[in-house]
Amino acid sequence: MDSNPPHLKTNFADNDRLQMLKNAFEKKYGKSPKFYAHAPGRVNLIGEHVDYCGYSVLPMAIEQSILAAVSVNDSETIELANTNPQYKDFRVSGTEEIDIGKDNPQWHNYFLCGVKGIQENFSLPSLVGMQCVVDGTIPASSGLSSSSALVCCAGLVTMEANERSLSKVALAEICAKCERYIGTEGGGMDQSISFLAEKGTAKLIEFNPLRATDVQLPGGAVFVISNCCVEMNKAASSHFNIRVVECRIATKMLAKVKGLEWKRLVKLAQVQTELGASLEEMLSLVEEVLHPDAYSRAEICQALGITPEQFSTDLLSSNTQHVTHFKLYQRARHVYGEASRVLCFKSVCDSQPADSIPLLGALMKESHASCRDLYECSCPELDQLVDICLKAGAVGSRLTGAGWGGCAVSMVPSDKVQSFIRTVRETFYAPEPRRAAMEQQSLFVSKPGGGATIFIEE
């Protein structure tokens, strides 16, 4: 698993997208690319908002991806262009410190995260000049990891252009860390599956240390992705980081009550490890220690014995300084419950009982209910879409990705796929013109795809 990303020689006559990108690059820069870098998006089958708490997730890569065509020169300038005209050209010096704007982040800021991550990893005083044209087929702000795939693609491009070498695991860890430059405190799932994915299998991704295990999905069902057409940009809003902060505070509160070194612990999984407890025991501890009412800043400060200044400095992030109340009980209950569902999902896939499809479907339904009610990361349109998917024949359906918009993933018996897609199209997309216009790229069957790759034209 811990090999380097593959380099594949490819005949472009067999790949329309690569040929179209080559043509766009030649039109833009008047020469041919040296190489192409590909990083896929992902759909998380189960395990939402638990990676940054230290728990395993179960995603698969999708066929939609970020693809970049790249040439190298000695100008020490990085030039970026995008096949989508709504994303403007950008250029930056490779000899100066790269500044990444956190306020209203643009597409090139995500690319620069990957560039900066590789530069810092190798302590490169300057970067080779690059000309890049980027093409994306992952719908933006849809919960399918378009932004992380762009960071991963940029990291791969920068490594290759500067003639450096890194393993898939190292690249995943660097890209997870450097995406935080844009203000998103993610946990590493998106970058890990983008690099570690293998065609035909989902993956259980575990952290500390990062590792990926094949999960063979049962035959007789497929996963269908449907976009509710509400966009949510994680880096441009504070919803996501508020949840990260609430989990961090819940970690401290549980640890302090149990006499642990609470100042050192930052993830809910660490409390479980320190206590040597089961997930069921952690859920009982949440019931015992935390109350369902939202906690005020003053109550948390009193419980932890810290000042309001320490609270703001040590526990809050830059874009959560305005938050006054925190739902610790609900967030911790979701995380420990969802972590348990991930393990159950993998167990069913491994043992493949006769009723595996309805068992997995039930876990997906429980996951969505927890995301909606305890983590409050759904939205009315997503809830409506999940309900329609279940009525259309899915055995299980749930939001996937950060939430607050984006996509649902549904497990559908293979013999019902066509009628399922027809019903969802007619019920959810057709009645609203804006959704109907987006339906072609918003409703599709997804099979487990491969990971990040360098392509070179034969």
Side-chain angles (χ1 to χ4, degrees):
M1 179 190 76
D2 197 10
S3 55
N4 293 5
H7 288 60
L8 300 180
K9 288 193 173 179
T10 305
N11 184 340
F12 283 20
D14 303 327
N15 193 312
D16 290 344
R17 188 176 172 208
L18 279 168
Q19 185 61 55
M20 286 171 61
L21 184 56
K22 178 186 177 183
N23 294 344
F25 187 97
E26 290 174 342
K27 183 178 178 183
K28 178 77 177 175
Y29 296 119
K31 57 184 172 184
S32 295
K34 181 180 180 181
F35 66 89
Y36 302 77
H38 159 270
R42 62 97 189 95
V43 59
N44 192 24
L45 302 180
I46 198 159
E48 227 56 74
H49 289 281
V50 298
D51 57 341
Y52 53 79
C53 295
Y55 284 110
S56 306
V57 290
L58 212 156
M60 67 182 190
I62 56 176
E63 291 159 5
Q64 288 79 358
S65 67
I66 302 293
L67 185 65
V70 187
S71 70
V72 177
N73 56 58
D74 57 8
S75 69
E76 295 186 325
T77 298
I78 298 166
E79 298 179 66
L80 303 177
N82 200 299
T83 56
N84 185 332
Q86 80 180 70
Y87 300 128
K88 303 304 179 191
D89 291 3
F90 185 80
R91 65 189 304 166
V92 65
S93 170
T95 61
E96 299 169 10
E97 184 177 354
I98 293 172
D99 181 47
I100 296 168
K102 289 186 179 182
D103 299 326
N104 189 27
Q106 303 301 305
W107 79 276
H108 62 260
N109 295 120
Y110 292 96
F111 195 98
L112 293 179
C113 284
V115 174
K116 187 169 183 173
I118 296 299
Q119 182 178 26
E120 291 188 346
N121 180 76
F122 289 107
S123 301
L124 300 173
S126 64
L127 294 164
V128 71
M130 297 190 294
Q131 293 174 312
C132 308
V133 177
V134 175
D135 178 67
T137 54
I138 311 167
S141 302
S142 64
L144 300 178
S145 194
S146 58
S147 55
S148 295
L150 182 53
V151 174
C152 291
C153 188
L156 188 57
V157 162
T158 308
M159 179 196 77
E160 186 73 10
N162 287 273
E163 299 181 342
R164 296 299 196 272
S165 179
L166 287 165
S167 70
K168 298 175 192 176
V169 166
L171 277 162
E173 290 178 329
I174 290 165
C175 290
K177 183 180 174 185
C178 69
E179 190 168 332
R180 293 170 194 161
Y181 291 135
I182 212 157
T184 304
E185 296 193 51
M189 166 179 62
D190 302 347
Q191 300 82 3
S192 300
I193 191 64
S194 195
F195 283 108
L196 301 175
E198 293 180 64
K199 196 168 185 177
T201 180
K203 293 279 186 179
L204 180 77
I205 305 283
E206 299 171 271
F207 304 96
N208 302 313
L210 175 61
R211 56 207 184 278
T213 307
D214 288 358
V215 177
Q216 291 299 331
L217 301 169
V222 298
F223 290 92
V224 181
I225 296 170
S226 49
N227 191 343
C228 79
C229 303
V230 173
E231 291 190 1
M232 205 297 282
N233 184 324
K234 280 192 298 190
S237 70
S238 59
H239 294 302
F240 183 89
N241 283 351
I242 290 170
R243 298 298 182 274
V244 177
V245 164
E246 287 173 320
C247 290
R248 188 181 301 149
I249 297 169
T251 297
K252 309 280 187 190
M253 299 283 275
L254 293 172
K256 191 163 194 296
V257 164
K258 297 304 288 185
L260 303 176
E261 292 181 51
W262 62 271
K263 290 183 179 179
R264 178 175 56 83
L265 304 182
V266 292
K267 297 179 180 181
L268 286 166
Q270 293 173 322
V271 182
Q272 183 192 357
T273 301
E274 295 271 329
L275 293 175
S278 67
L279 286 165
E280 290 72 23
E281 288 168 335
M282 293 310 298
L283 283 165
S284 297
L285 182 64
V286 170
E287 296 287 342
E288 175 191 322
V289 172
L290 301 175
H291 57 66
D293 294 336
Y295 285 75
S296 67
R297 288 184 174 215
E299 185 177 4
I300 296 165
C301 287
Q302 184 177 4
L304 296 179
I306 58 175
T307 66
E309 292 74 27
Q310 288 173 317
F311 180 88
S312 293
T313 304
D314 299 343
L315 297 182
L316 299 183
S317 55
S318 59
N319 69 347
T320 57
Q321 294 291 328
H322 64 286
V323 184
T324 59
H325 287 79
F326 305 84
K327 293 188 176 181
L328 308 184
Y329 166 86
Q330 292 85 345
R331 310 314 184 220
R333 260 194 68 194
H334 165 78
V335 170
Y336 289 128
E338 187 78 348
S340 177
R341 283 185 286 273
V342 171
L343 299 180
C344 290
F345 196 99
K346 181 177 185 294
S347 177
V348 171
C349 289
D350 288 347
S351 58
Q352 299 273 341
D355 57 347
S356 59
I357 291 173
L359 285 172
L360 296 178
L363 289 167
M364 292 175 72
K365 286 189 274 190
E366 289 173 19
S367 173
H368 183 77
S370 183
C371 287
R372 181 191 64 216
D373 301 335
L374 294 175
Y375 223 70
E376 296 178 278
C377 60
S378 190
C379 67
E381 294 85 352
L382 255 179
D383 293 337
Q384 179 198 9
L385 178 56
V386 165
D387 190 49
I388 285 170
C389 288
L390 291 171
K391 289 175 179 171
V395 292
S397 186
R398 57 180 295 279
L399 68 83
T400 184
W404 298 285
C407 288
V409 57
S410 301
M411 191 179 195
V412 182
S414 301
D415 58 357
K416 293 184 178 177
V417 172
Q418 295 310 314
S419 64
F420 172 86
I421 288 176
R422 186 172 61 250
T423 301
V424 174
R425 179 184 295 132
E426 292 171 354
T427 312
F428 186 78
Y429 291 98
E432 291 203 14
R434 192 179 76 85
R435 289 180 189 167
M438 297 172 66
E439 184 250 317
Q440 194 165 1
Q441 69 266 26
S442 296
L443 180 63
F444 53 90
V445 175
S446 187
K447 297 172 184 174
T453 306
I454 295 287
F455 292 113
I456 298 163
E457 186 174 14
E458 280 186 339

